[in-house]
Amino acid sequence: MRLFLQIVEKGGLAVAGRELGLASTTVSERLSALEAHYNVRLLTRTTRSISLTDEGRELVVGARRLLAEAEEIEARIKLGVEKISGSIRLSAPINLGRNQIVPMLDIFMSENREVTVDLTLSDGNVDLVGQGIDLALRYGD
C-alpha cells in the first residue's frame, strides 16, 4: 500500500521506484500483484500519465487511513505508552480450542495480565453479534 500511495503521489511508477530505490520492473510487478489481489484495475496507465480508477481512489483513502493508524500504533508501542488491557471474547471449536488455543492463551495471558479472555468452545453455529464475540475461529467446509 505504501508503494501504491507513492506511485499516486509521485505521478508515476518510475518516479516512485526511484524514490524507493526499486527498479521500474519491480514497481510494475508489485502494482500488478496488488491489482490481482483485489481483482480490479487501480490505475489507468499510458506511456505519459496515470490516473486513478474508482477502485484506486477508494484504496488511496483506505490505505492512507490504515498506514496512519499503523504508524500511530507502532509509535505508541515503541514508546511503551500503551499497554494491552481489556476483555476479549473468543469462540472456537472444542478440539481446536482445547489443543491449540488454550495453551497459547495461557502464555498470552501470563504476559498480558490486564487482559481477560472469555473463550467459548462449541462445534455448532455461534451468533457472533448476539453473544458479543470479538473473534471466532472455525475450520472445515
Side-chain angles (χ1 to χ4, degrees):
M1 288 192 190
R2 279 190 175 95
L3 175 59
F4 178 70
L5 289 177
Q6 189 77 2
I7 292 168
V8 171
E9 289 167 5
K10 297 299 177 181
L13 280 69
V15 176
R18 278 193 300 276
E19 292 276 327
L20 297 171
L22 298 172
S24 295
T25 54
T26 302
V27 174
S28 181
E29 288 169 358
R30 289 186 184 175
L31 176 60
S32 294
L34 187 63
E35 289 177 328
H37 173 76
Y38 289 113
N39 199 29
V40 296
R41 300 271 309 154
L42 298 169
L43 298 171
T44 302
R45 293 175 264 180
T46 68
T47 55
R48 296 181 183 259
S49 68
I50 62 166
S51 61
L52 288 165
T53 63
D54 290 341
E55 294 85 358
R57 279 189 282 283
E58 186 74 24
L59 183 58
V60 165
V61 171
R64 284 183 177 144
R65 186 181 69 249
L66 288 172
L67 291 173
E69 285 181 31
E71 289 170 6
E72 179 184 327
I73 290 168
E74 185 175 342
R76 286 193 316 228
I77 289 171
K78 283 183 176 178
L79 292 174
V81 173
E82 185 166 309
K83 295 188 187 234
I84 299 172
S85 64
S87 176
I88 304 171
R89 294 183 50 99
L90 303 176
S91 175
I94 295 169
N95 190 30
L96 178 67
R98 286 185 181 152
N99 295 321
Q100 301 291 321
I101 296 173
V102 168
M104 287 188 287
L105 284 178
D106 288 341
I107 295 167
F108 175 80
M109 291 177 68
S110 71
E111 294 173 355
N112 299 279
R113 299 207 179 270
E114 295 183 32
V115 175
T116 59
V117 177
D118 178 12
L119 175 62
T120 303
L121 300 178
S122 169
D123 290 331
N125 290 334
V126 177
D127 178 3
L128 302 177
V129 175
Q131 293 182 10
I133 302 295
D134 296 309
L135 174 68
L137 302 171
R138 294 289 185 262
Y139 59 89
D141 295 333

